[in-house]
Structure formats: C-alpha cells, structure tokens
Amino acid sequence: MRNASMDPIKYLMKYFKIKANQETLADVQRVAEDISRLEEAVANVQRREAEIVAMINPPAFILQRYADEFWGLVGVHLSPITVPYPNYKFQYVSAGGNSGQTVNINLDTPTLDALSETLVQKIRWAKSVAGQRALMTARLRGWIKDRDRHTCQNPACGVSVAVEPNLLLEVDHIIPVSKGGLSEPENLQTLCWRCNRAKGAKMPA
C-alpha cells in the first residue's frame, strides 16, 4: 500500500497488467484526449452557470437556506455535472477486518499524462505515431493555446474565446502524425472544434 501511494503509475501498470506497447499507448492517449475535451466542456458549462448566477445575483441567505426552491421558482436548473474520472483502487484489509488501507488513483489528466510518459520511456518509440501522440500532454496543449491567444488559427475562421467565451478549442498537428508530423510547437496550432473536424488528417495546402 505504501509503495502504491508513492509510485502509483508503477503499481497501476503492475497489478492491472497495463502493457508497455504501442496499442496501449494509443488507448491511453485516446482516453486522455477525450477526458481533456470533457474537462473543457464541463468548465464551459460551469462558467456559463456562474454568469447566470451573477446576473440574477440572489441574496446569500437565500442560496444558503433555500437554494433549490429559489432556482425552481426562477426556472433555472444548475447542472451538477462533473468529469467521471475512471478510478483504480488498491485496498488492504487485515485478516480480522479491524483495520485497512486504501489508495485511490483517479485517471485524471495529470495521471494520464504521467502514464503516457512512462509508457513512452519504456517503449522508446519517439518517432512513431503513438510516441508523438504521447507527447501531447495537457501542459503542451495549454501552452499552444496560450501562444495562439486562444484563437482558431484557420484564416477563414479566426474565432476566439474573447468573442465566444464558451468556444471549444483543440490543438491540431499541422502535418498530421500519420504522415510524419511531430509534436513540436512549430507543427502545432490551435483550431476550434469545427475547423479541426473539417481538417481531419489532411496535409496543409
């Protein structure tokens, strides 16, 4: 239990038989990307709800004591939506059942990034498609969006969060990894989800 709490990735791979191969790495990256998108979508919903609350601005004591009744009368339904992170659990219970320990590992974005980096180190396929996708951590995606000022880099679009606060932005490989593109800043750009879907795996014109 102590070892699992100190080195969760190692024991996650060991006891749940996560193999260090290209297929596993691709699966981890797919889950990480899906969760990252979901996190952004949930954050957009929460920002919008905060805007609604600020606009109505109910008295604090009403929210403390009569929140459900108040929002019901106003006709607003605040969503309790959260990101349903997959969870692994290490649990030990003594023979007599009198004591026990539990270590929970949520497969959130930092954990998935750490798992991807561990897999890359083990399989050492830095130039492969899976290896390049593994380099696309949440930190790198955030850096690219900041660099591009949270604006779609498609010249025909150019929409930004400044104009559309709930815009869903994604980071795209200009030269797709399936065609040899690398996960390096000069080959990455911010696109809105519409432009990214339209581009797909096309080469730049």
Side-chain angles (χ1 to χ4, degrees), residues 79-116:
S79 171
I81 187 170
T82 57
V83 180
Y85 294 113
N87 178 270
Y88 284 114
K89 179 187 292 186
F90 293 95
Q91 189 171 38
Y92 165 78
V93 178
S94 66
N98 298 321
S99 64
Q101 291 180 314
T102 301
V103 174
N104 286 295
I105 302 175
N106 281 327
L107 292 191
D108 52 16
T109 297
T111 302
L112 288 166
D113 282 349
L115 178 56
S116 292

Side-chain angles (χ1 to χ4, degrees), residues 164-180:
E164 192 176 324
N166 297 318
L167 177 67
L168 184 60
L169 293 173
E170 300 175 348
V171 175
D172 165 67
H173 288 81
I174 298 169
I175 299 176
V177 292
S178 60
K179 295 178 170 61

Side-chain angles (χ1 to χ4, degrees):
M1 294 301 298
R2 284 192 298 271
N3 290 338
S5 64
M6 291 187 295
D7 194 353
I9 300 301
K10 175 182 176 181
Y11 283 83
L12 186 69
M13 294 181 66
K14 177 179 179 180
Y15 286 103
F16 292 94
K17 297 181 172 59
I18 299 175
K19 297 179 180 178
N21 57 37
Q22 191 171 4
E23 183 179 357
T24 300
L25 183 57
D27 287 341
V28 170
Q29 282 305 109
R30 176 183 53 76
V31 172
E33 190 170 352
D34 288 345
I35 286 180
S36 180
R37 287 175 178 163
L38 184 56
E39 286 173 338
E40 190 165 348
V42 169
N44 284 342
V45 170
Q46 291 172 342
R47 279 195 297 271
R48 182 58 182 150
E49 289 183 349
E51 291 170 2
I52 292 172
V53 172
M55 190 168 49
I56 297 174
N57 194 24
F61 79 91
I62 291 290
L63 291 182
Q64 288 173 357
R65 300 186 180 183
Y66 309 106
D68 291 340
E69 294 91 334
F70 175 81
W71 291 120
L73 290 171
V74 172
V76 172
H77 174 69
L78 297 180
S79 171
I81 187 170
T82 57
V83 180
Y85 294 113
N87 178 270
Y88 284 114
K89 179 187 292 186
F90 293 95
Q91 189 171 38
Y92 165 78
V93 178
S94 66
N98 298 321
S99 64
Q101 291 180 314
T102 301
V103 174
N104 286 295
I105 302 175
N106 281 327
L107 292 191
D108 52 16
T109 297
T111 302
L112 288 166
D113 282 349
L115 178 56
S116 292
E117 290 170 6
T118 299
L119 290 170
V120 168
Q121 290 172 6
K122 286 182 176 295
I123 60 182
R124 299 185 185 282
W125 289 334
K127 295 285 185 179
S128 72
V129 170
Q132 287 304 309
R133 292 196 184 282
L135 298 176
M136 289 296 297
T137 62
R139 184 183 309 147
L140 178 57
R141 286 192 292 267
W143 187 89
I144 295 297
K145 290 177 185 178
D146 288 342
R147 182 200 66 184
D148 293 344
R149 299 182 181 180
H150 295 265
T151 300
C152 180
Q153 298 301 295
N154 179 1
C157 178
V159 66
S160 72
V161 295
V163 175
E164 192 176 324
N166 297 318
L167 177 67
L168 184 60
L169 293 173
E170 300 175 348
V171 175
D172 165 67
H173 288 81
I174 298 169
I175 299 176
V177 292
S178 60
K179 295 178 170 61
L182 302 178
S183 295
E184 298 176 347
E186 57 269 22
N187 190 46
L188 299 174
Q189 64 179 346
T190 303
L191 293 179
C192 70
W193 68 272
R194 296 182 189 89
C195 291
N196 199 20
R197 295 296 179 282
K199 177 178 178 291
K202 297 174 186 174
M203 291 288 285

